[in-house]
Amino acid sequence: MDLSLDDLLSGLEAVQQKKVSISLSERNTVELIIKLKELGFIGNELLYTANGREYVTKDKLVTELRDIVEEHGGRLALVDVPALLGMDLGHCQAAAEGLAKEHSSRITLAQGEIFSLSYFKDLANEIEEKLQSAGVLPLSDIARSHGLSMDMLSSEVTKALGTIIHGKMDGIVLYTDAYITRVRCQIRGALRGALQPVQMSVLKQDFGVEGPAAFFPGLVDEVIAAENLKGKIVSGSWIPHAHLQAQQEAVSSFYSQNHYVSKEYAKKHGVTDTIDAYMKGMDPDTILLDTVYVSPQLVHSLIPDVEERVQEEGFCNMLDVVPIDFSAEDASGLLQHAQKDSSSSGIFSHTDIFCDTIVVSHSMVEDISENLRQEATKRAKEEHVASTMNKEVPPESGKSTKAGKKKGKKVSAAEETEEDDDSWDMGKGKKGKGRGKKKAKGAERQQQQQTMDEASSAVKSKAFVIGSICRMYPDMEDHEEFLSSLAAKMLPVVSAAYDKAANEIFTAGASRRRELKEHATSLLQSTFYSLQNFSKGVEVLFETDEVQRTSAERHLIKTLGSACSDALLHFLSADMSQQDEEEISAKNSVKRHLEQAERNAIIQQCPSALSKALSDVVSATRSNQTMMEDFQKQLLEAAEESGIRLKPLDKKTEASLAAQQKDTLSVQVEGADAGPVLLAAAVPLLILTRMKACVSLPGKSLAPAIQSLKEYLEEEDATHLEDLHKQVIEELKSEESRVDSSLSDKVRALALSKSHPISS
């Protein structure tokens, strides 16, 4: 059916005026659109607005975005778009990316902003205007004022060069041809007019030239090449030819006047890369040293001065005669050249070179050698005398008065114990005296073991040699390096002289040391036999009385045990003998009782293992807790560690010792004129003859011993012996003679009775 336009308009009006029977609310309309999108009737092209009441298509959003960017001058921050378009930032960002992708030649998205081509054209026109006005324009200023990155600005400026912007770009600086021409003219004038070195950095600053570091030097090189200027660039400075010529003449003049010139002086005067060739060209005979160039004339003039000083002082340091500009290497090189020179080699036939620069005469070296030999020999003798006369333990430093008091208490306790051993009482008066007292505790620091060659090391040292040389030549104290070098050469001389003297001293005393060791070994073995014999006798005497047996054994340890330890220490100290052969014989020397300080001194000089073994033995002799079996074991270990193997007591030796003791005690009994002396000899003699046991008893053990003897004596004889013991105790207490002579005669007869002979 064909309808005219009027019919259609009338139909539209009728439809519009017709009232609908069903009306949708705004909320229902939104839900309906959402449902249509879910069912696929409407695509994703429909976008929500910020207020949620309107919908916009993506194409419409892109069109509006392009228009609004142009309205803002071609540059708009992306964060400002949502407020202007009433859209979410995500939709705006997607629209911006689509716009930049579709119109990449006209729209740019960078730095969170949208740029149009018109913006960059306006910027290029602005840059061109400023460049033509100033002649030079740093892009950093434009980037800072417009808030653009250097990469973006450089890229856009590069595109506009030759079209909108008329100039040249070097790095991040724009120049006009007129500006470069002006700078060239300034450089040419400055270089032509310079008479002194000119630093390029100063020229650049004076001209106010902007640009990268290589820009200005490049212009300078172009000007020098184009204008053929005479001069050169050295270390960033322009050196004009006139200045170079004047400097070289100064170097030549200095060399002619002083016969040397230093490399530093030449470099300061412009002679650098070609200095060796320049000096050889000026003087073919010049001598090239480490830091200076020397004329042969200087060598010939210095050698006589050196020879004169050597004759007067015995030595000469080349550093004292050469100019101050010479280093030690230069002085050494000068000496080496002089030695090769036939005209000056005569002085070196009777001299030596030390530290490369010091010339020393042979006569001085020989004098020093002889004096050092004498000094080393003298010191060897002095050290021997000191070592043989001062072998006592040095007093320990840092000990307080309190420590001294403790030590004093300790000694007093020991003395009290010894007095208690000598008591002849029956054991009721001083029961427990001295027992239970604790010895003073203290961390006694033993001195570190001093090596036998300590004195030798002191003499065979550079310090000793240097000190001796300085005493001979006080003027040499300031020449430390020379003294060290000279001492190194003299050290073998000193060592040989000291060793020779020490060997002679040692050889002279070898026979005495051998004799001392023999007597000490013999005394140790015999004393050890006696200790074993008496220990065996004590076991027989006090077989059932453990307390008395222990007391008697400790008495043996303190007497015979101490003698054994002293004999062993005498053996070890044979090489450290404190007495000369003329003063005391070796046999009597080893019998001498040692003080505790002497024992400590000997022990400290022994190796660690031996030192510990000896310390245990000496400590055992002073202790009230040591058992006889433990002591003998310690003594055997210490002797074996010392190289001595002690023999155990055999039957033959035991019988011999018994016979000897019987003879000795018999003589003492016969000659005894006092009760205590008679009792002290009679009781051991009766034990020997009746019980077949050799004993050595302290005074307090006599009463228990008499009790053990009773069963081997007649009742009357036992009574006489007990009565004599009581009278002796009363006599010792009253300090008056109260022993009945008739009773003494009876006991003497009893002891000397031969009714019980000893079988040999």
Side-chain angles (χ1 to χ4, degrees):
M1 176 179 62
D2 296 331
L3 295 176
S4 64
L5 180 62
D6 292 336
D7 294 336
L8 292 175
L9 290 174
S10 298
L12 176 62
E13 183 178 359
V15 171
Q16 290 177 344
Q17 290 178 356
K18 187 178 181 180
K19 294 182 179 180
V20 296
S21 59
I22 299 175
S23 171
L24 296 177
S25 65
E26 183 178 330
R27 179 177 179 181
N28 292 335
T29 303
V30 172
E31 292 177 353
L32 179 60
I33 293 174
I34 293 174
K35 187 63 176 179
L36 291 173
K37 290 183 69 174
E38 290 178 356
L39 295 175
F41 293 106
I42 300 176
N44 293 327
E45 295 297 323
L46 196 63
L47 303 175
Y48 294 110
T49 59
N51 56 22
R53 297 180 179 181
E54 297 176 340
Y55 295 90
V56 180
T57 63
K58 291 183 179 180
D59 294 339
K60 179 62 175 178
L61 180 60
V62 170
T63 302
E64 291 181 358
L65 179 61
R66 182 175 63 248
D67 294 340
I68 200 172
V69 169
E70 294 297 337
E71 290 176 5
H72 285 76
R75 180 178 180 181
L76 181 62
L78 193 58
V79 294
D80 297 334
V81 174
L84 296 173
L85 297 181
M87 297 296 293
D88 186 69
L89 178 60
H91 297 323
C92 294
Q93 187 172 0
E97 292 175 354
L99 181 62
K101 184 176 181 181
E102 183 179 355
H103 304 281
S104 58
S105 61
R106 300 182 60 84
I107 300 297
T108 302
L109 180 62
Q111 303 178 182
E113 294 183 284
I114 305 172
F115 300 90
S116 68
L117 182 60
S118 61
Y119 174 79
F120 289 120
K121 286 183 179 180
D122 294 340
L123 179 61
N125 290 325
E126 180 184 347
I127 293 174
E128 169 66 11
E129 183 180 351
K130 290 183 178 181
L131 176 61
Q132 297 303 324
S133 174
V136 59
L137 182 62
L139 292 182
S140 58
D141 295 344
I142 302 298
R144 185 166 50 253
S145 62
H146 288 73
L148 297 173
S149 67
M150 285 300 302
D151 293 339
M152 175 182 285
L153 183 59
S154 298
S155 176
E156 295 300 330
V157 169
T158 302
K159 295 177 183 178
L161 280 176
T163 55
I164 301 175
I165 301 175
H166 299 87
K168 295 181 179 179
M169 187 171 70
D170 190 346
I172 60 173
V173 180
L174 289 171
Y175 305 95
T176 62
D177 293 337
Y179 175 78
I180 295 177
T181 301
R182 177 164 58 87
V183 174
R184 286 177 182 273
C185 294
Q186 289 176 328
I187 293 173
R188 182 174 63 248
L191 297 185
R192 280 181 174 178
L195 297 176
Q196 298 290 334
V198 179
Q199 292 184 0
M200 295 294 99
S201 59
V202 175
L203 285 180
K204 182 179 179 181
Q205 185 177 359
D206 292 343
F207 298 161
V209 177
E210 299 286 349
F215 170 70
F216 188 78
L219 288 180
V220 173
D221 293 339
E222 291 177 8
V223 171
I224 293 174
E227 301 295 334
N228 195 22
L229 299 179
K230 294 184 178 181
K232 60 181 179 179
I233 301 294
V234 178
S235 300
S237 296
W238 165 253
I239 310 296
H241 178 72
H243 179 74
L244 288 173
Q245 188 174 5
Q247 293 289 77
Q248 291 178 358
E249 290 177 357
V251 173
S252 177
S253 176
F254 185 92
Y255 183 81
S256 300
Q257 294 175 6
N258 300 284
H259 303 298
Y260 81 95
V261 66
S262 67
K263 291 183 179 180
E264 182 180 2
Y265 183 86
K267 288 180 180 179
K268 285 182 179 180
H269 288 75
V271 182
T272 54
D273 299 335
T274 60
I275 184 171
D276 291 346
Y278 176 79
M279 294 303 300
K280 281 293 185 181
M282 184 174 58
D283 181 8
D285 297 329
T286 187
I287 303 171
L288 277 63
L289 300 179
D290 189 59
T291 64
V292 296
Y293 297 90
V294 179
S295 170
Q297 296 179 10
L298 180 63
V299 180
H300 298 156
S301 63
L302 291 179
I303 293 303
D305 294 341
V306 174
E307 189 169 7
E308 182 179 355
R309 289 199 178 196
V310 169
Q311 291 176 354
E312 293 177 356
E313 302 177 12
F315 72 98
C316 174
N317 191 345
M318 284 297 296
L319 291 174
D320 296 336
V321 298
V322 297
I324 194 172
D325 295 333
F326 280 57
S327 65
E329 290 76 10
D330 295 328
S332 175
L334 193 65
L335 266 180
Q336 294 176 9
H337 183 79
Q339 288 177 300
K340 298 176 183 178
D341 191 348
S342 58
S343 61
S344 59
S345 59
I347 182 178
F348 299 106
S349 62
H350 56 274
T351 57
D352 292 326
I353 307 297
F354 287 87
C355 301
D356 299 328
T357 62
I358 301 177
V359 183
V360 185
S361 66
H362 288 169
S363 59
M364 179 180 180
V365 175
E366 292 173 359
D367 290 343
I368 293 175
S369 299
E370 183 59 30
N371 288 331
L372 288 175
R373 288 191 190 94
Q374 296 176 3
E375 183 72 15
T377 302
K378 179 181 177 182
R379 286 294 297 271
K381 295 179 179 179
E382 291 175 352
E383 293 295 343
H384 173 70
V385 173
S387 64
T388 56
M389 298 300 294
N390 301 311
K391 294 246 174 165
E392 297 182 357
V393 175
E396 296 181 3
S397 60
K399 282 195 174 182
S400 63
T401 306
K402 185 176 180 181
K405 290 181 180 179
K406 289 184 178 181
K407 184 176 180 181
K409 289 181 180 180
K410 185 175 180 180
V411 173
S412 298
E415 291 176 353
E416 185 175 344
T417 303
E418 291 178 1
E419 292 176 358
D420 190 46
D421 286 344
D422 292 337
S423 174
W424 292 29
D425 205 344
M426 298 297 290
K428 295 181 180 181
K430 296 183 180 181
K431 183 177 181 181
K433 184 176 181 180
R435 295 182 183 179
K437 291 187 177 181
K438 296 182 179 180
K439 295 183 179 181
K441 296 181 180 180
E444 298 181 358
R445 299 180 179 177
Q446 295 188 356
Q447 298 178 349
Q448 295 183 351
Q449 181 181 351
Q450 297 181 352
T451 57
M452 295 301 294
D453 58 348
E454 182 179 8
S456 172
S457 299
V459 176
K460 298 177 182 180
S461 64
K462 275 191 176 183
F464 171 79
V465 178
I466 290 174
S468 301
I469 295 175
C470 288
R471 286 192 292 272
M472 289 184 275
Y473 298 93
D475 295 339
M476 295 176 62
E477 291 183 357
D478 297 333
H479 301 276
E480 296 181 1
E481 186 178 1
F482 171 43
L483 281 173
S484 178
S485 178
L486 184 60
K489 183 173 182 178
M490 295 292 106
L491 201 55
V493 176
V494 174
S495 299
Y498 185 88
D499 291 341
K500 181 180 179 182
N503 186 56
E504 291 176 353
I505 295 172
F506 180 82
T507 303
S511 59
R512 173 171 172 78
R513 290 192 294 272
R514 185 169 52 254
E515 187 179 1
L516 282 171
K517 289 185 176 182
E518 291 175 355
H519 286 297
T521 304
S522 176
L523 177 61
L524 174 60
Q525 182 63 68
S526 61
T527 308
F528 184 60
Y529 278 150
S530 299
L531 178 66
Q532 296 177 84
N533 191 30
F534 288 147
S535 175
K536 185 176 180 181
V538 166
E539 292 179 358
V540 173
L541 177 63
F542 299 118
E543 182 178 2
T544 59
D545 192 342
E546 184 178 355
V547 175
Q548 292 301 326
R549 182 172 70 251
T550 302
S551 176
E553 286 179 346
R554 288 173 181 169
H555 170 73
L556 291 176
I557 293 174
K558 289 183 178 181
T559 54
L560 292 178
S562 180
C564 287
S565 66
D566 283 355
L568 181 57
L569 292 175
H570 275 301
F571 172 83
L572 295 172
S573 66
D575 295 329
M576 311 172 254
S577 178
Q578 300 181 23
Q579 301 291 341
D580 292 335
E581 189 173 0
E582 295 78 13
E583 296 179 1
I584 186 171
S585 66
K587 185 175 182 179
N588 293 329
S589 176
V590 298
K591 293 181 180 180
R592 184 175 62 85
H593 175 73
L594 294 175
E595 299 294 336
Q596 187 59 35
E598 294 178 294
R599 297 188 185 106
N600 292 341
I602 297 171
I603 292 173
Q604 288 176 359
Q605 297 185 51
C606 296
S608 57
L610 177 58
S611 177
K612 183 181 183 306
L614 293 172
S615 297
D616 293 343
V617 172
V618 173
S619 298
T621 61
R622 305 175 65 189
S623 173
N624 288 327
Q625 306 299 325
T626 307
M627 303 303 293
M628 177 60 71
E629 182 179 357
D630 296 336
F631 175 77
Q632 291 187 18
K633 182 179 179 181
Q634 292 174 349
L635 181 62
L636 289 171
E637 290 177 354
E640 186 173 358
E641 191 71 28
S642 304
I644 301 175
R645 186 176 295 277
L646 294 176
K647 300 177 182 178
L649 181 67
D650 53 25
K651 294 294 183 180
K652 183 177 180 181
T653 305
E654 183 179 358
S656 176
L657 290 175
Q660 292 177 11
Q661 188 185 29
K662 180 182 179 182
D663 294 341
T664 301
L665 293 175
S666 297
V667 172
Q668 292 178 357
V669 169
E670 289 178 356
D673 55 357
V677 177
L678 175 61
L679 184 64
V683 173
L685 182 58
L686 288 171
I687 293 173
L688 177 60
T689 56
R690 270 50 174 186
M691 301 180 67
K692 311 301 183 196
C694 295
V695 295
S696 174
L697 301 172
K700 68 178 182 179
S701 297
L702 289 177
I706 292 173
Q707 295 300 320
S708 298
L709 266 174
K710 278 186 176 182
E711 59 181 286
Y712 295 93
L713 299 175
E714 297 292 340
E715 183 177 354
E716 182 180 2
D717 294 337
T719 302
H720 291 159
L721 193 59
E722 288 181 337
D723 292 342
L724 178 63
H725 179 253
K726 293 178 181 179
Q727 292 182 11
V728 167
I729 292 174
E730 294 297 327
E731 179 177 320
L732 292 175
K733 289 181 178 180
S734 63
E735 297 183 356
E736 296 180 0
S737 177
R738 296 189 178 185
V739 177
D740 186 1
S741 59
S742 61
L743 182 60
S744 297
D745 292 339
K746 292 178 181 178
V747 172
R748 180 182 291 107
L750 174 63
L752 295 176
S753 173
K754 297 183 179 180
S755 59
H756 300 279
I758 296 296
S759 174
S760 59

